[in-house]
Amino acid sequence: MPLVTIRKDWENFKKKLTKRMKTAPLEVEESLTRFWLVSAGLREEENLAQSSQATGGLTSVPALLQRNAAQFADKDAYREKEFGIWQTWTWAMTEKEIEALALGLINLGVKEGDFVAIIGRNRPYFYWSMVAAQSVGAVPVPVYQDSAAEEMEYILGHCGAKYAIVEDQEQVDKIIEIQDKLHTFEHMVYIDPRGLRKYDHRQLHEFSHIQAQGRAAHDELIGELKSRREKLDYDSTCVMLYTSGTTGKPKGVVLSNRNVIESSKNSAEFDALTGDEEILSYLPMAWVGDFIFSVGQAYWCGFCVNCPESADTMMTDLREIGPTYYFAPPRIFETSLTNVMIRMEDSGDLKYALFHHFMDFAKTAGEKYGMPKRSLAKPDMKRRIKNGWRYAMGLGFAMETIVENGIRMAFTKLRHGSKAREHFKAKDPILLNLYRGNLRDYFKYRMGNVLVYGPLKDTLGFGRVRVGYTAGEAIGPEIFEFYRSLGINLKQLYGQTEATVFITAQPDGEVHADTVGVPSPDVEIKIDDNGEIHYRSPGTFVEYYNNPESTASTKDAEGWVATGDAGFFEEKSGHLRIIDRAKDVGKMADGSMFAPKYVENKLKFYPDILEAVLFGNGKDRCVAFINIDLTAVGNWAERNNIAYASYQELAGHPKVLDSIQEHVEAVNRSVADDPMLAGCQIHRFLVLHKELDADDGEMTRTRKVRRVIVADKFKDLVDGLYDGSSSVSTTTEVTYEDGRKGSISATLELRDAQVAPVASKMAAE
């Protein structure tokens, strides 16, 4: 039977069934749709188009651009908010912009194999620049825009960048400062001309002028551009992304078109992404997560990439766009939760009571009533459905009859208990699932969705999110469950730059707070005897640029990559569980496991704790550094009429220390419930007098703590926590935004925390 006829019959049936089921749960209609799609082996039209093309002829990102410009010409490809107004480019317009820039780069002298640095915030111009560089055979190298000049010097010098496309005067000044040390550097292109009129423009060019020169030389250079574009294949370099440098200097990860396109295709099919998705691109372009979502998947699926006006307006822009596909590291979700809690503390008594009442209820009911399930059918029914779509259609018509004749009888006979149960069991397995549940809880959650969950999701900008992901580092289970309880389909994935993001992901209906899912499509995983995770996949990186030793130590001859993370597969669920970085996991003096990230994430659930660093490997007890969240604690101080003049003064306030101590002891009680990790309870702690900062080398640009550097820099504080000192005076060097160095001095109070008894000491040992 032709596909068009099948779809037409199915749509007519759904309309008829939905009309007769106005009082029935929405899940019935959704389940029938899933039944038909699964049994027919079909996806939506966009996915059919993707699958039918596979990757035939689409062996580079520029090739995907050509396809999108032809097939999705009038669909929105990019939006950017500028001066409060959203500017839009279709795929046809995008192709013209990129072609003009590519011709301009050829005119400027860019050759195949040259490295082009990309430095700035998320803007369509920079995404165009990456694809234009690829089109001419060059290699784009995104760099973190907040990097200091010294950091840029290392990256641009390491890859031998000849060209840079930057945003504004700030980035131009950084490169001019280090230009004498970059022996291969030739030209720089800027987007924002403000403040640059009197600069020497012999090696400095405006972005719009480069495009204008490309358009003027179109007839002369278009043949060269097409020739270079046609040379690109699956093994051509697509992008080079530098690692965050948690343990040392960043390494240049070379990713091919095969890595990017295969990873994008597989992940898009895994979550049934279509060309109708909307995403907000606000994460650093130098991070592999942004590249795969905003370039790889966007070009594979053909969906729209939205760029906020600035970091300050990001939340407002997020609410205006209402993305359907959303990605954020744990820090973003932690910050959003902190802001929610701060606003609720300032709300009226009624709002405060409603919020906490329904959120407490959502902790137990959210996963059951708020989350869409992959399927409500029983396993034996699934096997029958696989016999063909006709059975699904027959089931649908049978349910239509039941809805018409049986629902009224079923609900009127609820008081008879067994009769109603037998009726559901015989006639309607989906309503039986609902019957087995608590109808009161079902409707209470729906009421909470109207009063609390729905408005809160809309305020956060998550009202339309169909698929949400968090990755980058472990997220606290409490934070993760908070968003899931709202009905947001937030999932975890585990990945690396070297894997082109995807190693594992969580399928719908199989989401757990303490695991990171199953292997992503075409990914193989094995666990070494020492617990380290290894993988190989189509996304496995080509090499570390100019670093064959690190390449050989990370990736073996068979393509297996050592992740540096420790973990195991749970027997019950079959999902991968990450313990911590392999180098961070250790043993306490008594032999019990030391896994700092587990405890740190529990601490960061509290809105007034921004960051935590745990120490204890090889010791008889654990101690911790804690950073307060200035926004949350400052709001608390304002409500309680507590005056303070600086972060340092607020961090050392006795009432702040009392509050932090309560949180630490609550976490200790929680940790004590896990026999395997109960030895990680915190015995002593201090609140640091400064925030850990990437500019001071204490964190990476992706906000990961450099644990070894922190331990070395604050050695006097660590020693004080272990030798029983009640206070320590210290002086710390800091780096200001303009690069100047300074120092701050403080006397910190060191506190003891109560440790909870462990129920099963033998299990911990």
Side-chain angles (χ1 to χ4, degrees):
M1 184 181 295
L3 175 61
V4 175
T5 303
I6 296 174
R7 285 193 179 276
K8 185 176 180 181
D9 290 345
W10 178 246
E11 291 301 326
N12 290 336
F13 164 68
K14 282 201 301 181
K15 290 178 182 178
K16 185 177 180 182
L17 182 59
T18 304
K19 183 178 180 180
R20 299 187 181 188
M21 295 178 63
K22 291 181 179 179
T23 59
L26 179 61
E27 286 88 342
V28 175
E29 192 271 340
E30 291 175 343
S31 297
L32 288 178
T33 303
R34 288 195 295 271
F35 290 160
W36 179 77
L37 288 174
V38 171
S39 57
L42 300 174
R43 300 179 186 273
E44 297 297 327
E45 286 85 353
E46 293 87 347
N47 291 332
L48 284 170
Q50 295 165 16
S51 299
S52 66
Q53 292 186 40
T55 54
L58 303 176
T59 56
S60 68
V61 173
L64 291 175
L65 172 65
Q66 299 300 310
R67 179 205 66 174
N68 293 348
Q71 294 188 10
F72 313 136
D74 296 327
K75 288 187 63 175
D76 293 344
Y78 288 96
R79 292 194 198 97
E80 181 187 30
K81 196 174 187 183
E82 192 171 17
F83 304 116
I85 301 172
W86 287 101
Q87 314 291 331
T88 303
W89 292 266
T90 64
W91 280 108
M93 296 165 65
T94 297
E95 194 270 339
K96 295 298 182 184
E97 295 281 354
I98 292 174
E99 181 183 85
L101 179 59
L103 293 170
L105 292 177
I106 294 176
N107 185 64
L108 189 63
V110 177
K111 296 180 174 59
E112 294 171 291
D114 286 347
F115 289 91
V116 181
I118 311 291
I119 311 171
R121 64 178 175 87
N122 306 76
R123 303 192 68 180
Y125 307 102
F126 290 118
Y127 293 116
W128 300 345
S129 298
M130 285 191 273
V131 181
Q134 295 165 0
S135 299
V136 301
V139 180
V141 184
V143 181
Y144 289 99
Q145 65 167 350
D146 57 350
S147 297
E150 294 80 5
E151 294 173 283
M152 289 188 181
E153 177 190 339
Y154 171 77
I155 292 175
L156 270 63
H158 180 263
C159 69
K162 291 186 178 181
Y163 304 88
I165 301 176
V166 305
E167 183 171 5
D168 53 21
Q169 184 183 16
E170 178 186 359
Q171 308 301 341
V172 170
D173 288 343
K174 288 180 186 177
I175 294 183
I176 289 177
E177 180 182 340
I178 61 175
Q179 191 168 351
D180 292 341
K181 302 175 184 178
L182 304 176
H183 304 299
T184 61
F185 193 80
E186 296 181 7
H187 293 278
M188 183 166 23
V189 179
Y190 59 86
I191 292 173
D192 188 346
R194 287 178 295 182
L196 295 170
R197 183 167 60 88
K198 295 184 179 180
Y199 280 52
D200 183 353
H201 279 72
R202 285 177 296 180
Q203 293 180 296
L204 195 59
H205 315 273
E206 188 171 348
F207 187 94
S208 60
H209 294 172
I210 295 294
Q211 284 188 307
Q213 291 168 5
R215 292 187 181 98
H218 179 275
D219 293 342
E220 178 185 351
L221 299 177
I222 190 63
E224 174 68 14
L225 174 60
K226 289 181 178 179
S227 174
R228 295 192 190 187
R229 206 159 48 199
E230 289 169 358
K231 291 180 184 178
L232 300 175
D233 58 22
Y234 244 19
D235 295 321
S236 301
T237 299
C238 180
V239 68
M240 188 159 78
L241 300 164
Y242 277 81
T243 62
S244 56
T246 309
T247 57
K249 289 288 187 181
K251 297 187 283 286
V253 180
V254 178
L255 299 179
S256 67
N257 283 311
R258 182 190 309 278
N259 299 148
V260 173
I261 294 177
E262 285 291 335
S263 296
S264 300
K265 176 178 72 71
N266 289 342
S267 57
E269 291 176 351
F270 181 83
D271 284 307
L273 302 180
T274 73
D276 295 326
E277 309 298 343
E278 295 277 354
I279 68 168
L280 186 74
S281 296
Y282 64 97
L283 298 169
M285 291 186 298
W287 187 41
V288 67
D290 182 75
F291 185 83
I292 203 67
F293 290 106
S294 301
V295 177
Q297 290 182 336
Y299 278 70
W300 175 258
C301 298
F303 57 65
C304 185
V305 175
N306 300 274
C307 300
E309 187 166 15
S310 68
D312 296 332
T313 66
M314 197 275 287
M315 291 306 299
T316 301
D317 299 338
L318 177 66
R319 288 192 293 271
E320 291 181 3
I321 290 298
T324 60
Y325 182 43
Y326 183 73
F327 181 86
R331 178 58 60 89
I332 299 296
F333 290 107
E334 292 165 6
T335 302
S336 295
L337 177 58
T338 297
N339 292 335
V340 168
M341 294 306 183
I342 290 173
R343 293 180 64 180
M344 291 315 304
E345 290 294 330
D346 292 335
S347 64
D349 292 343
L350 178 60
K351 287 184 179 180
Y352 184 89
L354 281 173
F355 174 80
H356 285 283
H357 174 76
F358 280 108
M359 287 310 306
D360 288 343
F361 174 72
K363 290 178 183 178
T364 58
E367 194 72 25
K368 183 175 183 180
Y369 299 113
M371 280 295 114
K373 301 296 189 295
R374 179 171 288 271
S375 175
L376 296 175
K378 294 181 179 179
D380 59 332
M381 187 178 294
K382 290 182 182 178
R383 288 194 296 271
R384 294 172 68 187
I385 290 172
K386 288 180 181 178
N387 292 331
W389 68 269
R390 293 182 182 84
Y391 180 79
M393 292 288 286
L395 176 65
F397 286 117
M399 291 189 66
E400 178 188 17
T401 304
I402 294 169
V403 167
E404 183 176 2
N405 301 315
I407 284 184
R408 187 181 299 107
M409 178 191 69
F411 278 94
T412 55
K413 290 190 176 181
L414 281 176
R415 63 183 180 274
H416 295 296
S418 60
K419 288 185 179 180
R421 189 179 299 109
E422 290 303 317
H423 172 78
F424 287 135
K425 187 181 296 184
K427 301 291 187 180
D428 195 336
I430 295 176
L431 287 180
L432 175 60
N433 283 343
L434 182 60
Y435 173 80
R436 283 173 173 166
N438 190 321
L439 287 175
R440 180 176 176 274
D441 287 350
Y442 175 84
F443 289 112
K444 182 176 179 179
Y445 188 86
R446 295 302 171 208
M447 182 184 295
N449 194 53
V450 172
L451 296 175
V452 176
Y453 316 138
L456 179 56
K457 286 190 290 185
D458 289 337
T459 299
L460 294 173
F462 300 153
R464 293 205 305 152
V465 170
R466 186 179 62 80
V467 180
Y469 272 112
T470 183
E473 63 175 325
I475 187 172
E478 295 85 355
I479 299 171
F480 184 72
E481 289 168 355
F482 172 84
Y483 288 99
R484 293 280 300 176
S485 68
L486 292 176
I488 299 170
N489 188 23
L490 178 62
K491 303 190 285 186
Q492 299 184 79
L493 66 81
Y494 170 57
Q496 289 186 327
T497 304
E498 292 85 345
T500 322
V501 177
F502 299 96
I503 299 176
T504 69
Q506 295 179 319
D508 290 334
E510 301 179 38
V511 179
H512 309 288
D514 55 351
T515 67
V516 292
V518 298
S520 294
D522 294 339
V523 176
E524 300 173 78
I525 296 178
K526 67 179 182 180
I527 310 294
D528 270 5
D529 294 338
N530 63 359
E532 186 176 7
I533 301 165
H534 293 247
Y535 70 88
R536 63 181 177 185
S537 73
T540 299
F541 74 119
V542 178
E543 63 176 350
Y544 290 126
Y545 184 70
N546 277 349
N547 196 341
E549 296 82 8
S550 292
T551 303
S553 64
T554 303
K555 183 174 69 169
D556 66 19
E558 296 180 350
W560 288 100
V561 178
T563 64
D565 293 317
F568 61 92
F569 280 103
E570 290 186 341
E571 291 185 8
K572 183 177 180 180
S573 66
H575 286 215
L576 182 67
R577 182 173 179 180
I578 306 296
I579 300 174
D580 208 327
R581 292 290 294 173
K583 62 181 177 58
D584 291 335
V585 175
K587 297 284 188 181
M588 305 289 293
D590 63 358
S592 60
M593 180 180 290
F594 173 71
K597 186 60 68 177
Y598 175 78
V599 181
E600 291 165 0
N601 285 333
K602 284 183 173 291
L603 285 167
K604 289 192 289 183
F605 172 74
Y606 294 98
D608 46 354
I609 295 180
L610 179 66
E611 193 58 73
V613 187
L614 196 71
F615 304 96
N617 190 24
K619 303 288 187 178
D620 60 345
R621 63 192 187 278
C622 289
V623 298
F625 290 171
I626 291 174
N627 265 162
I628 62 168
D629 187 303
L630 183 59
T631 302
V633 180
N635 184 271
W636 167 85
E638 182 180 345
R639 292 197 311 274
N640 289 274
N641 296 318
I642 296 175
Y644 63 95
S646 65
Y647 177 95
Q648 179 179 332
E649 183 178 342
L650 184 61
H653 195 283
K655 289 188 176 180
V656 172
L657 294 176
D658 290 342
S659 176
I660 297 299
Q661 182 162 352
E662 290 178 7
H663 299 333
V664 170
E665 292 175 352
V667 167
N668 281 346
R669 292 190 292 272
S670 175
V671 173
D673 293 336
D674 190 332
M676 186 171 66
L677 297 171
C680 295
Q681 293 185 65
I682 299 168
H683 289 249
R684 305 195 77 209
F685 74 94
L686 61 81
V687 176
L688 283 173
H689 54 299
K690 68 176 289 292
E691 284 191 20
L692 299 179
D693 198 313
D695 289 338
D696 294 325
E698 299 150 353
M699 305 186 83
T700 68
R701 291 294 168 185
T702 55
R703 306 294 298 176
K704 295 178 182 175
V705 173
R706 287 176 163 146
R707 196 178 301 276
V708 174
I709 293 176
V710 170
D712 182 64
K713 185 173 183 177
F714 298 103
K715 185 177 183 301
D716 56 336
L717 301 182
V718 177
D719 292 342
L721 286 168
Y722 278 108
D723 65 20
S725 300
S726 59
S727 64
V728 174
S729 296
T730 186
T731 299
T732 306
E733 182 182 78
V734 296
T735 304
Y736 300 108
E737 289 186 0
D738 60 2
R740 292 183 297 111
K741 302 287 186 180
S743 63
I744 56 174
S745 300
T747 299
L748 305 183
E749 180 181 347
L750 281 55
R751 289 202 172 193
D752 296 321
Q754 184 176 355
V755 177
V758 182
S760 177
K761 181 65 175 176
M762 293 300 293
E765 294 175 350

